[in-house]
Amino acid sequence: MKVFINKMIPEIGIKMLKEEGIQIIFSENENLSHEEWLKYCQNTDAILNVGGDFKYDKTFFDTCPNVKAIALYSVGFDHVDTKEASQRNIPIGNTPDVLSRATSDVAFLLMQSVARRTSYNFQKIKDGNWNTFDPLHALGQELYGKTLGIFGLGRIGFEMADKARKAFDMNIIYHNRSHNEQAERELGAIYVSFDELVKNSDVLSIHANFTPEHTNLFNHLVFEKMKPSSIFINTARGGFHHQKDLYNALVAGKIWGAGLDVTNPEPMSADDPILELSSVCILPHIGSATIEARNGMARLAAGNLIAFSKGEKMPHCANPEVYSNHS
C-alpha cells in the first residue's frame, strides 16, 4: 500500500507505517499548490493528511479515484465531505482524545490571559512603556465563582470545565445537541438553551465540532446579548465567529474580552485591528502543539492506516457508516 503524507509528522507514526511494510510518499516541498497536491494524491492508495489546506469533496474523489482511505492528522474533519466519502466506501480516520487535554489547556490559558490582559502588558514591556504605578490603568478581572458557558461539551469542553471548576470554583452551564450526564454528575454542569448560554456566561468557550451551519454563528446578534463583562473564547474553529463583528463588539463594550486560538480568516492579517485591543489574546492555532499530543496524533493516524491495510476497521473513524455500507 502506498501512502502519501503531505507534511512531516512525528517519527513514531512514520516508524509504525514502515514496520508494516507500507510505502510512504512525501512531497519534495510542504507548500504544495493545489495541482501539485492532486498529482501526488492521484498516484496513491491512501493519504495521511496534515492540516486543512485542501478539501476532500466530490471533485477530489472524482479526480483521485485510486484513493481508498484517508487518515487525518486532526480531530476535526470539516474539510472532508464525509457523506461523499461514505458513498464511495472510503473510511476517514481522525485522532480524537489524544489532544483533549492540550487543547483545553490553551482555552484555560486564554481565559486567564484575557482576564488579566497579559498580551497587552507584555507588549508594554517590549515597547518600553513600563511606567510608574497607576492603580486604575487597564485593570483585569478575577474569575472566582463566575459562570463558564461551554458551547459543545464533549471531551475537550469537559476538560476545560473541570479545570475551571477546580481552579476558580466556576459554575458550569452548557449547550449541546444532547445532555452530558457525566458533566452534570461530576461537575454540576447545567444544560441551558443557546440563548441562555449567551446571556448568562461570564466566559463563553466554544468546543463543538464545526459544521457549515455553524458559520458565523457568533455574530453581532449574539455579541449584543452577551454580558458587557463577558469573555469570548474560541479554540475550536475560526468559522464559528464573525471576526469583524467580534472586533466591533469589543470596541463598543458589548463584551469585555476575547481569546482566540483560531481566527477567521486563518491565518489572519498581522494588521488586523483586533490585535491592538488590550483585552484580547490571540494564538496561531497551537491547541495540540505539545510533544505528547502530536506524538499521540501520529500514533492514531498511523494506526488507522495500518488497520485499513489489513482489511480491518479503522479504530478511530469519522464516518463509521462506511462499514455498514458494505458489511
Side-chain angles (χ1 to χ4, degrees):
M1 190 170 87
K2 287 198 291 189
V3 172
F4 168 53
I5 305 180
N6 64 308
K7 288 185 181 178
M8 184 55 77
I9 63 169
E11 183 60 32
I12 180 70
I14 306 297
K15 188 164 176 270
M16 285 171 64
L17 293 170
K18 284 181 175 174
E19 283 174 354
E20 293 294 330
I22 292 171
Q23 185 184 343
I24 300 171
I25 300 164
F26 287 110
S27 57
E28 290 186 12
N29 75 76
E30 293 195 343
N31 299 308
L32 295 171
S33 69
H34 191 260
E35 291 71 28
E36 289 169 332
W37 170 69
L38 279 176
K39 277 183 186 168
Y40 278 105
C41 293
Q42 284 170 331
N43 295 305
T44 191
D45 303 306
I47 297 167
L48 198 161
N49 178 83
V50 184
D53 297 341
F54 304 113
K55 303 287 182 199
Y56 293 92
D57 52 14
K58 184 180 187 301
T59 304
F60 168 83
F61 292 119
D62 284 345
T63 311
C64 303
N66 293 328
V67 172
K68 303 172 190 70
I70 299 170
L72 304 176
Y73 187 76
S74 64
V75 178
F77 47 90
D78 46 290
H79 52 308
V80 181
D81 186 337
T82 52
K83 189 180 284 187
E84 188 69 34
S86 295
Q87 285 172 356
R88 298 167 188 252
N89 289 328
I90 298 171
I92 308 296
N94 68 339
T95 62
D97 298 334
V98 290
L99 45 73
S100 298
R101 283 187 168 178
T103 305
S104 70
D105 285 348
V106 167
F108 190 69
L109 170 72
L110 284 168
M111 177 175 72
Q112 293 179 84
S113 296
V114 171
R116 297 305 298 269
R117 302 185 192 259
T118 55
S119 292
Y120 167 75
N121 284 300
F122 181 43
Q123 192 62 46
K124 269 176 64 180
I125 294 173
K126 292 206 291 183
D127 293 343
N129 290 333
W130 187 346
N131 300 320
T132 56
F133 175 66
D134 181 346
L136 298 177
H137 178 68
L139 300 182
Q141 55 171 292
E142 296 183 13
L143 298 165
Y144 300 97
K146 292 193 172 173
T147 297
L148 170 64
I150 303 270
F151 181 73
L153 187 49
R155 299 176 188 95
I156 299 171
F158 185 94
E159 290 282 349
M160 171 63 166
D162 188 41
K163 289 178 176 70
R165 187 97 175 127
K166 287 172 178 169
F168 297 113
D169 196 25
M170 294 181 82
N171 303 301
I172 312 300
I173 60 175
Y174 73 101
H175 182 72
N176 252 18
R177 281 172 304 193
S178 56
H179 283 258
N180 185 324
E181 293 178 6
Q182 182 190 2
E184 292 178 3
R185 187 174 62 250
E186 295 180 18
L187 306 177
I190 297 170
Y191 180 91
V192 295
S193 68
F194 180 72
D195 209 44
E196 289 174 301
L197 183 84
V198 167
K199 288 177 178 173
N200 297 328
S201 296
D202 294 305
V203 178
L204 199 162
S205 192
I206 303 176
H207 298 284
N209 287 326
F210 184 79
T211 57
E213 60 264 28
H214 287 134
T215 302
N216 295 330
L217 174 64
F218 290 85
N219 55 31
H220 69 100
L221 296 172
V222 169
F223 296 132
E224 287 274 344
K225 294 177 183 174
M226 290 175 68
K227 295 182 181 183
S229 58
S230 66
I231 293 170
F232 174 76
I233 305 290
N234 188 3
T235 56
R237 284 288 185 269
F240 274 109
H241 70 263
H242 189 291
Q243 197 142 318
K244 191 160 188 199
D245 284 2
L246 175 59
Y247 170 76
N248 291 336
L250 288 159
V251 171
K254 301 295 182 187
I255 66 172
W256 191 84
L260 309 175
D261 187 41
V262 289
T263 59
N264 190 9
E266 189 174 303
M268 65 184 283
S269 170
D271 59 6
D272 192 312
I274 200 170
L275 293 167
E276 301 302 316
L277 302 180
S278 69
S279 58
V280 167
C281 182
I282 300 181
L283 299 172
H285 206 148
I286 60 163
S288 66
T290 67
I291 295 163
E292 295 85 353
R294 294 280 167 89
N295 281 344
M297 292 166 71
R299 278 194 295 269
L300 292 194
N304 279 332
L305 288 176
I306 290 165
F308 175 79
S309 73
K310 294 177 176 177
E312 300 167 0
K313 290 183 180 181
M314 286 186 176
H316 303 282
C317 188
N319 60 335
E321 65 276 7
V322 74
Y323 294 112
S324 56
N325 285 355
H326 58 284
S327 56

